[in-house]
Amino acid sequence: MIFYVIRRLLAAIPTLLAVLTLVFVIVRIVPGDPAVAILGDRATPDAVAAMQHRLGLDKPVWAQYLDFMGHSLRGDFGTSMVTGRPILQDVGAVLPHTMDLTIASMLVGTLLGVPAGVVAALHRNRWIDVTARMLSLVGLSFPVFVSGVFMLLAFALHWRLFPVIGNANLDDPIDRLDKLVLPALTLGITMAAYITRVTRSSMLQVLGEDYMRTARAKGVPWRRVVWRHGLRNAGLPVVTVVGLYVGILIGNSVLTEIVFNRPGLGKIIVGALNQRDYTMLQGLMTIYCFLIVVVNLVTDLTYGLIDPRVKQA
Amino acid sequence: MKFLGGLPAAVMLAGTLLATTAAIAAPKTTLVVGMAAQDVGKLDPQMAVSTIDRTAVAWMFNGLVRFAPGSVNPATIGPDLAEKWEFSPDKKVWTFHLRHGVKWHGDYGEMTADDVVFSLNKAADPKRSAFAGDFAAFDKVEALDPYTVRITLKHPVPSLLGIVTNYSGGYIISKKAYEALGDKFNSHPIGSGPFEFVSVTPNQSLELKANEAYFRGSPKIKTISYRFLPSNASRDLAFQSGELDLEFGIADQTWVDRTKKLPHAIVDVFEPAEEAILNLNETQKPLDDIRVRQAIAYAVNRPELIAWQGKDVSREPKSVIPGGNLGYVDAGLLPHDIAKAKKLLAEAGYPNGLTIKVIHTQLPGMLAQMQVVQAQLKKAGINLDLQIVEHATFHQMIRKDLSPIVFYSAARFPVADVYLTQFYDSASTVGTPTAITNFSHCKVADAEIHAARTEPDDAKQIALWQTAQKKIVADVCAVPLVETLQAWVRTDKLDYGYDLKGSLSLGPLITETTQFK
């Protein structure tokens, strides 16, 4: 197991290096000049040139690249070109919010999606299956900025159960939870819709297997057959999808954060993009990629837990 | 015993009731403001260029002089940090006498002439100011004594007071704080205004508190929470649910009508108007032919644009500078006339119409306005092939002359010289070393614009500005479209303490007199 983990970690290094290089290139390919974005529409060319010098944009691209790689590898992402604040400080301030949302939505999505998928598979083509499939279609079809506004209209304005502005005080667990419910449900329901479909089809496949019939023939209770023998075998594709989906959740949080007025990585990245804040974008994209690499690693390790064959390989 | 046992409970109940009543009776002192923003950018007032930043710095800083709160009329300019001032007969030497005992926020001591000299020199330095261009005529700024400042100009300017007012480069900052904080000043500003900086939570809010030592008296509002809420829909919902007291609105009739119907909501629509203009590049084909430019001017239908955008928030422009500017005149814009437009196009050699590629921003408000114009021009056979790009890209591309027609919407300091200089003086032509925002390569009114700048006689100066506008209209450097006012909404419990007719910071001023009723 230890070797397996180490091997996976080493494999992540070239990925991160490639990502850093890509990030550097992509950020600079996008047209738009940060100096102009910072100084506004009344700045003279002199002022723009002075700002470019201050931001280090007048250096040759290769020098900027070496600076960037050197600093990134030391974990120093520098300061924002626009606000002058250290990037890690800004990211650190919102990271707990993003993690809260990601984990809570993942829980909602998995806890709703897996049972729904199993039940739908067991009642294949009966009303319960049709209803589950219909609901998951509805869940998949609604973009977050529509379902989120509906959620706010119903639960924040009509029933006044939750606040509209979701910037929680991290030191207050009740407040943190209070402001997490609506966005986590919004994101989680979409994810549940997806997970339901995957679980259902994977489960259907497993249900037809010989070992399932054998287990039943041996007299193992049906409930146990389904949850122990069925779901455990149907679980691998579900774990893969959950793992992939966490990446999507981190990305999708952009819209959710904006609709629910939550702080988070997504909101920062949109702001940085509008302002052409190169250093901030570089830092954020690197952190995003790092998170995704970690999630993939965790997913791989989970395979090992579910399926002993993976560990031995 | 029972009776006695009940007594403390009764007393407590009565006490609680009293306390509750007192809590209800005492007005709120925390103001929560919702702004359409991801984050604040620069809080150094001389670097603050976005509406988001400008709105907030106006609460923290003073100028030497100021507009009366709620007004953008230069005639209302009165004392702020300077109590009085005088100028030489040729208007080249100005002496300002400072107020005594003005304290900087925090522990930065008293405001003196040194701070003023430092601030104005910084404002004129393109490395440390986004408004250096406004100070081009400054020769030197000197402290005669701790409470007297003398500004010497290279040549007279149309409105020196306009440059040193509480707007853009005119804000006075603490020299000691700037030198101590360096680059951090941008995220930790030190001013002398009614509210002082407490903290910024990135992407969430800017927190301010009352400056109890404010020279006009302690503010009635004690804390301001300036929240960054980029989604229009959820910002409106937050206002409806009572989580916001004041909110940045949308200059659109549907929003105004809907918001006015909310209980306890007051919609404020105020100056300055941003004038949207099509700048036509006279040096590029086919716009180098004045008949094509005239055809565009005839094809534009301003009343229709105003009906579309809404009567409460829009005004019909009558000149190439915004209405209400000192020196503004009805410059005789060409009326809407499709037949004439078609005839002119035919004369210019385009009997079957023509297509022009135009680079435009994807910002929803500006895009919608441009799409209406696109539909109007199409009726005359002029097809605008819109190349939609992201907003920062748009700004970069139009400065490289890549779009023959540039849609630009802006408000400036309300003296004709500023708008005329930035948009129609050939020295401001994009692509030149002194470029500002002359996208049309207009040069017909250079003589008048330059002469007016140094004309000592007020009436003659205004006459020159008016001639300049008429010449620009006659040459069709630009086609005015619509003027859009600022729209905000507040709870009816919030009393600004003045009548809000306008605000150059583009957001309502919160002063020492602002309070909850």
Side-chain angles (χ1 to χ4, degrees):
Chain A
M1 189 71 183
I2 300 272
F3 284 114
Y4 176 62
V5 174
I6 292 172
R7 217 167 52 220
R8 298 292 321 169
L9 279 173
L10 287 178
I13 292 174
T15 316
L16 273 176
L17 284 180
V19 160
L20 283 175
T21 308
L22 261 179
V23 163
F24 180 85
V25 173
I26 289 173
V27 163
R28 276 162 182 77
I29 287 178
V30 182
D33 183 340
V36 172
I38 292 170
L39 290 172
D41 50 10
R42 297 165 61 186
T44 56
D46 283 355
V48 171
M51 180 57 81
Q52 280 174 335
H53 178 71
R54 258 187 61 185
L55 299 175
L57 292 172
D58 53 348
K59 286 195 210 166
V61 176
W62 60 266
Q64 292 184 42
Y65 177 71
L66 287 183
D67 273 2
F68 166 67
M69 290 303 269
H71 286 121
S72 305
L73 293 175
R74 271 175 274 149
D76 169 16
F77 297 110
T79 55
S80 156
M81 280 186 181
V82 177
T83 62
R85 293 188 297 250
I87 285 163
L88 280 179
Q89 179 191 320
D90 274 21
V91 170
V94 298
L95 198 58
H97 296 277
T98 300
M99 294 320 284
D100 277 4
L101 182 58
T102 309
I103 293 168
S105 336
M106 195 187 81
L107 284 179
V108 172
T110 316
L111 294 182
L112 283 179
V114 171
V118 171
V119 172
L122 293 179
H123 299 86
R124 189 181 184 180
N125 290 335
R126 271 181 276 161
W127 69 267
I128 197 163
D129 179 31
V130 175
T131 315
R133 280 193 323 208
M134 289 275 282
L135 284 179
S136 78
L137 191 65
V138 171
L140 282 176
S141 317
F142 266 95
V144 171
F145 54 86
V146 176
S147 53
V149 170
F150 277 137
M151 285 272 192
L152 282 177
L153 279 173
F155 297 104
L157 267 189
H158 188 74
W159 286 302
R160 310 237 160 187
L161 294 172
F162 299 101
V164 178
I165 300 182
N167 53 344
N169 176 4
L170 288 174
D171 300 325
D172 179 353
I174 304 284
D175 186 53
R176 209 161 155 177
L177 209 59
D178 186 34
K179 288 171 174 164
L180 187 59
V181 175
L182 290 185
L185 277 179
T186 308
L187 266 187
I189 285 174
T190 317
M191 175 173 174
Y194 199 56
I195 300 294
T196 305
R197 307 207 128 213
V198 175
T199 312
R200 178 180 175 275
S201 66
S202 174
M203 198 68 190
L204 279 177
Q205 214 173 5
V206 170
L207 285 176
E209 296 284 345
D210 291 346
Y211 56 80
M212 296 293 282
R213 207 177 44 222
T214 314
R216 278 205 84 180
K218 275 195 326 193
V220 181
W222 178 230
R223 185 179 292 267
R224 206 175 140 91
V225 174
V226 170
W227 294 107
R228 282 286 288 277
H229 299 255
L231 190 58
R232 187 143 183 190
N233 281 298
L236 270 192
V238 178
V239 170
T240 311
V241 169
V242 171
L244 282 177
Y245 207 91
V246 171
I248 299 178
L249 276 181
I250 297 176
N252 260 6
S253 58
V254 178
L255 286 172
T256 321
E257 282 161 9
I258 289 175
V259 171
F260 289 97
N261 303 302
R262 277 180 70 83
L265 284 185
K267 224 167 138 181
I268 299 193
I269 209 167
V270 173
L273 198 57
N274 284 338
Q275 292 270 22
R276 292 292 183 276
D277 190 342
Y278 286 178
T279 46
M280 184 59 114
L281 277 176
Q282 284 167 181
L284 280 171
M285 288 169 74
T286 314
I287 290 162
Y288 261 96
C289 293
F290 182 74
L291 285 178
I292 305 278
V293 168
V294 168
V295 167
N296 282 338
L297 191 66
V298 171
T299 314
D300 284 358
L301 297 181
T302 317
Y303 286 166
L305 288 180
I306 295 182
D307 187 346
R309 285 171 302 182
V310 175
K311 254 186 292 188
Q312 287 149 11
Chain B
M1 201 57 199
K2 235 179 186 176
F3 173 75
L4 282 180
L7 195 60
V11 170
M12 268 173 66
L13 182 68
T16 318
L17 277 175
L18 273 176
T20 319
T21 327
I24 292 168
K28 216 163 95 88
T29 57
T30 296
L31 173 67
V32 186
V33 185
M35 186 65 195
Q38 296 282 351
D39 203 348
V40 279
K42 305 272 186 194
L43 291 174
D44 173 344
Q46 293 162 350
M47 293 298 271
V49 288
S50 68
T51 306
I52 302 154
D53 300 350
R54 281 162 178 267
T55 298
V57 298
W59 304 335
M60 294 184 270
F61 289 89
N62 299 96
L64 283 177
V65 295
R66 68 164 186 175
F67 288 90
S71 174
V72 292
N73 179 357
T76 70
I77 288 179
D80 202 12
L81 293 177
E83 282 179 319
K84 55 185 190 329
W85 53 90
E86 64 258 354
F87 48 85
S88 63
D90 62 358
K91 291 191 179 174
K92 276 166 74 175
V93 181
W94 292 67
T95 311
F96 290 86
H97 302 278
L98 305 182
R99 200 182 283 267
H100 290 234
V102 174
K103 289 269 181 290
W104 292 115
H105 300 157
D107 301 323
Y108 291 99
E110 194 190 349
M111 185 268 309
T112 65
D114 275 349
D115 295 304
V116 177
V117 171
F118 175 78
S119 296
L120 296 179
N121 284 331
K122 173 177 171 299
D125 174 5
K127 290 189 182 67
R128 295 180 294 163
S129 158
F131 309 106
D134 298 351
F135 294 80
F138 274 48
D139 182 20
K140 57 179 188 258
V141 186
E142 312 152 274
L144 301 185
D145 65 55
Y147 299 102
T148 314
V149 174
R150 186 163 71 194
I151 298 172
T152 311
L153 300 173
K154 292 174 196 153
H155 52 79
V157 294
S159 172
L160 183 274
L161 289 183
I163 301 174
V164 296
T165 187
N166 56 338
Y167 169 71
S168 297
Y171 288 113
I172 303 301
I173 65 172
S174 159
K175 178 186 180 197
K176 200 172 146 197
Y178 189 85
E179 286 175 348
L181 294 167
D183 269 356
K184 281 201 190 118
F185 193 85
N186 266 321
S187 50
H188 193 124
I190 298 293
S192 54
F195 294 92
E196 59 181 273
F197 175 86
V198 176
S199 63
V200 173
T201 312
N203 296 279
Q204 296 188 56
S205 68
L206 163 68
E207 305 292 329
L208 307 178
K209 67 171 184 188
N211 170 12
E212 295 297 341
Y214 186 49
F215 61 84
R216 288 194 179 89
S218 158
K220 290 176 179 162
I221 298 273
K222 295 303 173 195
T223 49
I224 300 179
S225 181
Y226 187 59
R227 303 268 172 92
F228 316 136
L229 308 171
S231 155
N232 291 337
S234 49
R235 201 174 56 250
D236 281 348
L237 291 177
F239 180 79
Q240 279 186 56
S241 75
E243 289 169 58
L244 298 176
D245 306 307
L246 172 65
E247 184 211 344
F248 176 83
I250 304 162
D252 171 88
Q253 198 66 34
T254 329
W255 181 85
V256 171
D257 291 342
R258 180 168 35 111
T259 311
K260 271 185 176 164
K261 285 190 200 124
L262 297 177
H264 310 296
I266 298 177
V267 173
D268 294 304
V269 176
F270 55 92
E271 302 276 342
E274 293 181 41
E275 183 170 12
I277 283 179
L278 290 183
N279 297 278
L280 309 179
N281 189 334
E282 303 184 325
T283 61
Q284 286 186 15
K285 277 195 175 304
L287 297 173
D288 56 342
D289 186 332
I290 191 169
R291 290 168 298 190
V292 176
R293 301 203 296 276
Q294 285 167 336
I296 293 174
Y298 277 119
V300 163
N301 184 347
R302 276 178 287 273
E304 188 181 77
L305 261 168
I306 286 152
W308 167 76
Q309 188 170 280
K311 59 181 181 353
D312 288 2
V313 292
S314 320
R315 229 170 23 199
E316 182 167 349
K318 305 240 181 259
S319 177
V320 288
I321 65 171
N325 275 20
L326 180 67
Y328 169 84
V329 70
D330 182 341
L333 299 180
L334 296 180
H336 175 61
D337 190 335
I338 292 286
K340 270 196 179 150
K342 284 185 169 163
K343 186 163 162 274
L344 282 161
L345 277 187
E347 282 172 23
Y350 305 99
N352 303 318
L354 78 169
T355 299
I356 304 172
K357 268 196 182 169
V358 177
I359 294 167
H360 197 61
T361 171
Q362 64 176 17
L363 275 195
M366 276 173 77
L367 180 56
Q369 286 176 322
M370 191 58 163
Q371 282 164 337
V372 176
V373 173
Q374 186 186 32
Q376 291 180 347
L377 296 192
K378 192 161 178 95
K379 288 184 189 151
I382 304 162
N383 295 309
L384 296 189
D385 179 6
L386 296 186
Q387 315 277 309
I388 311 296
V389 297
E390 195 272 327
H391 194 64
T393 312
F394 165 75
H395 271 286
Q396 195 191 29
M397 292 176 91
I398 58 177
R399 278 171 176 70
K400 290 184 179 160
D401 256 348
L402 292 172
S403 184
I405 299 181
V406 174
F407 175 108
Y408 209 90
S409 187
R412 291 290 179 257
F413 187 82
V415 171
D417 175 59
V418 181
Y419 214 92
L420 288 173
T421 300
Q422 294 186 5
F423 287 87
Y424 310 110
D425 182 348
S426 64
S428 311
T429 305
V430 293
T432 64
T434 50
I436 309 179
T437 44
N438 181 351
F439 300 107
S440 60
H441 295 243
C442 195
K443 52 183 187 291
V444 283
D446 281 6
E448 287 78 11
I449 297 172
H450 297 174
R453 235 175 257 159
T454 51
E455 172 57 54
D457 183 275
D458 289 350
K460 280 185 191 159
Q461 185 179 49
I462 287 177
L464 283 167
W465 284 331
Q466 295 183 339
T467 313
Q469 291 166 62
K470 286 174 185 160
K471 280 189 161 181
I472 295 162
V473 167
D475 198 47
V476 208
C477 297
V479 180
L481 301 169
V482 61
E483 290 184 9
T484 309
L485 294 151
Q486 314 296 320
W488 285 63
V489 59
R490 65 183 149 116
T491 157
D492 58 3
K493 293 196 182 59
L494 180 66
D495 175 13
Y496 289 130
Y498 60 85
D499 195 15
L500 178 59
K501 294 257 183 276
S503 168
L504 270 188
S505 67
L506 306 180
L509 271 186
I510 306 300
T511 71
E512 72 287 355
T513 56
T514 305
Q515 61 177 322
F516 285 99
K517 287 184 283 199

